[in-house]
Amino acid sequence: MSKREQQFTKTAYDPLDVRHHGAIHVPIYQNSLFAFESYAQFDEAMKQLLDHHVYSRGNNPTVEYLERKLAELEEAESAKCFASGMAAITSAILSVVRQGDHIVCVHQAYGPTREFLGSYLSRFGVETTFVDGSSLEQWHASVRPNTKLLYLESPTTSFFELQDLRMCAELARGIGAVTIIDNTWATPCFQNPLTMGIDLVVHSITKYIGGHSDCIGGVVMGSKELMDRIGYSEYMLLGGIMTPQTASLISKGLRTLPLRMQRHEESGLLVAEHIGKQSFVSRVNHPGLPSHPQHELGLRQMSGFSSLFSFISHEPTERLKEWATRLKYFKIGVSWGGFESLVTVNRLGNEETGERTPNVVRIYVGMESPKDLIADMDHAWQAV
Ligand SMILES: *Cc1c(COP(=O)(O)O)cnc(C)c1O
């Protein structure tokens, strides 16, 4: 069975569990607490809170079911789900650093992540150096004796640049640092960083994994040792847990994740190739295209390419915004990973410096017919 086919098995509901009366979806355990038959059982559970069902700010069966499914897909020993991607990211980071430590982070990581590292954590005496993630020399040159964390996001959020996961993991191992990667773009279907030596993987579940624009969520995955540390400290103490209702919705969406990612990959490449040929486009940033400078690296560490990419345009911002407004299928909006295709226009560099400052236009290719999407783009540009 191919790896992609196996993913369908991994996301399927478990064989009938008699306790659930044959329900084909995992039931929502709307419980804050779980009671015990005997004090001996209670004492036993309290020793290992996270391995038993005691209290839902710890281990709720509906959330646990999703955690087990996600861990299987990501080839992780253990997973913990959080209230948002940012709750997962900040908890994972806090679990590995303390006052006086140093972090090296890819400079185009997700904005709030950069703010947390570069600004918020500096209040607690943790310093971060941002590097061009595509340059191994920069990673090497930036580590210090007190570097405790290398933070990756591959591909990056706006420009879709890659980092060499295996090389970064090797560098970190050599200096006793931990590696964390934001794997939201690739999903567990297209990239499994733990198999390449990365220590912790974080995802915003809000995007492809959720897939229906109806939930906010996040997950951290890794070895049982690192995850137990997060479980008993950041997860329990900061309390940014996922609710059982959200876990139930995500579990339903997860079953179609491999299927959705196949569709996104195909449609995304078709639309990216087409847009690359347009006169108003200077460059397309999509690691799945052979024109991407790190396409070969992408093929080595990913088994597929998702459908969020950007293009650079020297057209005036107002014109690009008018184009975006005229699009019928593409909606204007943040986030991504659901049914609808999306577009946002962002001026690069200084807003004051004249009309021809390049713009980066982010495109999310959803589930609509790629033919319709391509026609939509062409018609809208003709009208502009
Ligand atoms: C959206 C996003 C996040 C944050 O996730 P939330 O669920 O919104 O907190 C983190 N990383 C990446 C790459 C994202 O796209």
Side-chain angles (χ1 to χ4, degrees):
M1 220 193 286
S2 73
K3 189 175 166 188
R4 286 198 184 180
E5 206 50 39
Q6 285 173 21
Q7 289 171 347
F8 285 96
T9 312
K10 290 181 178 178
T11 51
Y13 188 56
D14 280 356
L16 292 184
D17 178 337
V18 288
R19 286 173 306 157
H20 299 156
H21 309 286
I24 60 152
H25 293 303
V26 64
I28 298 175
Y29 281 85
Q30 188 64 53
N31 289 43
S32 57
L33 75 93
F34 301 84
F36 292 81
E37 296 279 312
S38 72
Y39 221 98
Q41 288 173 354
F42 182 51
D43 279 342
E44 192 54 33
M46 287 300 281
K47 278 189 225 152
Q48 292 254 293
L49 267 176
L50 292 180
D51 292 327
H52 296 87
H53 302 121
V54 179
Y55 187 50
S56 283
R57 199 189 78 247
N59 189 8
N60 174 284
T62 311
V63 182
E64 182 186 29
Y65 172 84
L66 175 62
E67 290 169 344
R68 198 152 43 80
K69 285 291 166 195
L70 287 169
E72 273 185 71
L73 266 182
E74 192 59 279
E75 305 195 23
E77 278 176 17
S78 181
K80 257 347 235 170
C81 283
F82 288 81
S84 68
M86 281 314 294
I89 289 168
T90 52
S91 294
I93 292 169
L94 286 172
S95 77
V96 295
V97 293
R98 56 197 299 168
Q99 189 176 20
D101 286 348
H102 174 247
I103 299 171
V104 185
C105 174
V106 56
H107 70 153
Q108 281 159 353
Y110 183 67
T113 304
R114 276 181 294 157
E115 191 182 332
F116 181 71
L117 290 173
S119 157
Y120 193 93
L121 273 188
S122 64
R123 285 169 32 191
F124 302 94
V126 177
E127 200 187 334
T128 301
T129 304
F130 294 93
V131 295
D132 171 356
S134 60
S135 158
L136 271 176
E137 295 76 50
Q138 279 208 25
W139 284 104
H140 277 273
S142 302
V143 298
R144 302 178 190 166
N146 61 337
T147 302
K148 289 288 152 47
L149 167 64
L150 304 190
Y151 188 94
L152 288 72
E153 186 179 307
S154 184
T156 53
T157 286
S158 298
F159 295 95
F160 306 92
E161 289 178 358
L162 310 185
Q163 297 109 61
D164 189 323
L165 272 49
R166 290 183 180 88
M167 299 299 260
C168 287
E170 198 182 306
L171 168 64
R173 261 198 309 277
I175 59 168
V178 170
T179 41
I180 300 179
I181 187 170
D182 184 331
N183 200 30
T184 303
W185 187 90
T187 80
C189 291
F190 290 159
Q191 180 164 265
N192 297 125
L194 299 172
T195 66
M196 290 179 263
I198 299 291
D199 295 308
L200 288 172
V201 171
V202 293
H203 289 273
S204 168
I205 281 180
T206 315
K207 313 294 167 51
Y208 284 121
I209 294 177
H212 297 81
S213 308
D214 54 355
C215 301
I216 303 262
V219 63
V220 186
M221 298 189 257
S223 67
K224 179 148 173 49
E225 187 193 340
L226 288 177
M227 290 309 303
D228 273 357
R229 233 158 76 184
I230 294 174
Y232 283 104
S233 60
E234 287 75 20
Y235 189 80
M236 297 278 280
L237 296 182
L238 303 180
I241 64 160
M242 178 178 281
T243 65
Q245 293 92 334
T246 296
S248 165
L249 285 169
I250 306 281
S251 295
K252 287 171 189 146
L254 191 66
R255 299 166 75 181
T256 56
L257 181 66
L259 189 63
R260 288 186 281 114
M261 294 316 294
Q262 284 176 18
R263 169 83 170 175
H264 286 308
E265 177 175 41
E266 286 167 19
S267 302
L269 285 168
L270 284 173
V271 175
E273 275 164 14
H274 180 81
I275 202 101
K277 296 182 201 139
Q278 307 311 306
S279 59
F280 60 99
V281 173
S282 321
R283 190 180 83 226
V284 177
N285 303 309
H286 188 315
L289 294 182
S291 61
H292 189 284
Q294 295 166 298
H295 180 60
E296 292 297 320
L297 174 62
L299 291 173
R300 264 185 279 136
Q301 58 190 28
M302 291 192 276
S303 58
F305 299 96
S306 75
S307 65
L308 183 79
F309 61 93
S310 67
F311 67 81
I312 306 293
S313 175
H314 287 81
E315 292 290 337
T317 309
E318 287 320 309
R319 200 142 175 214
L320 290 165
K321 286 185 175 171
E322 195 191 332
W323 173 68
T325 304
R326 284 178 183 274
L327 289 166
K328 278 219 234 15
Y329 288 101
F330 288 88
K331 311 289 181 217
I332 299 163
V334 298
S335 196
W336 40 279
F339 186 94
E340 287 77 19
S341 292
L342 297 162
V343 60
T344 52
V345 178
N346 300 291
R347 168 84 64 87
L348 285 176
N350 190 341
E351 290 280 331
E352 321 282 275
T353 58
E355 277 284 88
R356 307 295 285 186
T357 311
N359 290 278
V360 57
V361 180
R362 197 180 75 171
I363 301 283
Y364 166 65
V365 176
M367 299 291 249
E368 304 93 337
S369 157
K371 279 193 183 139
D372 287 343
L373 295 175
I374 286 171
D376 191 21
M377 289 182 146
D378 289 350
H379 290 155
W381 190 253
Q382 279 154 21
V384 172

